[in-house]
Amino acid sequence: QVQLVESGGDSVQPGGSLRLSCAASGYTDSASYMGWFRQAPGAEREGVATIALFGQTIYADSVKGRFTISKDDAKNTLYLQMNSLRPEDTAIYYCAADRIAWLLTPRYKYWGQGTQVTVSS
């Protein structure tokens, strides 16, 4: 089992920045692949960015050049740096992990509880 706890969500103005964190605990050997997903009201959960065991990253087209996924293996923590935020980035952001490379599809085995990001003027 892997437990994931997100933090860092907040309300910001358009153009602002936030950094989300996801602390992993438990059997973290099962977290070879990790990712960030988001879900807006009335919408399906969508992949934002993923990172593999050796650091390979994939981003959704909508966030390329604005968001950066990274991890600190020593701290078992995943990050998502979000810059140039837009109102359409408003959603609940979830951290996910699995030993299978699901990439940007929301089929990961382990999920956090989510953290709210609101971008509004």
Side-chain angles (χ1 to χ4, degrees):
Q1 290 286 338
V2 178
Q3 292 78 43
L4 303 171
V5 179
E6 303 97 333
S7 61
D10 205 345
S11 295
V12 297
Q13 293 187 341
S17 297
L18 281 175
R19 189 177 81 155
L20 304 183
S21 299
C22 172
S25 61
Y27 191 60
T28 55
D29 285 354
S30 294
S32 300
Y33 300 90
M34 299 188 74
W36 288 99
F37 290 76
R38 66 186 182 187
Q39 189 165 18
E44 295 185 353
R45 191 168 297 189
E46 64 173 353
V48 174
T50 68
I51 188 166
L53 180 63
F54 297 110
Q56 305 97 314
T57 58
I58 297 174
Y59 294 92
D61 288 343
S62 59
V63 306
K64 281 181 182 176
R66 301 189 298 123
F67 291 10
T68 302
I69 188 171
S70 63
K71 60 177 180 169
D72 185 332
D73 291 332
K75 296 181 178 179
N76 288 326
T77 301
L78 180 73
Y79 302 100
L80 184 68
Q81 178 66 43
M82 305 187 294
N83 299 328
S84 302
L85 282 162
R86 304 167 180 169
E88 54 263 40
D89 294 319
T90 295
I92 299 174
Y93 282 71
Y94 298 90
C95 171
D98 204 330
R99 63 171 65 244
I100 299 172
W102 296 113
L103 304 181
L104 292 176
T105 59
R107 298 181 65 181
Y108 288 68
K109 182 174 183 178
Y110 303 105
W111 292 86
Q113 82 289 348
T115 186
Q116 177 70 47
V117 172
T118 302
V119 184
S120 174
S121 56

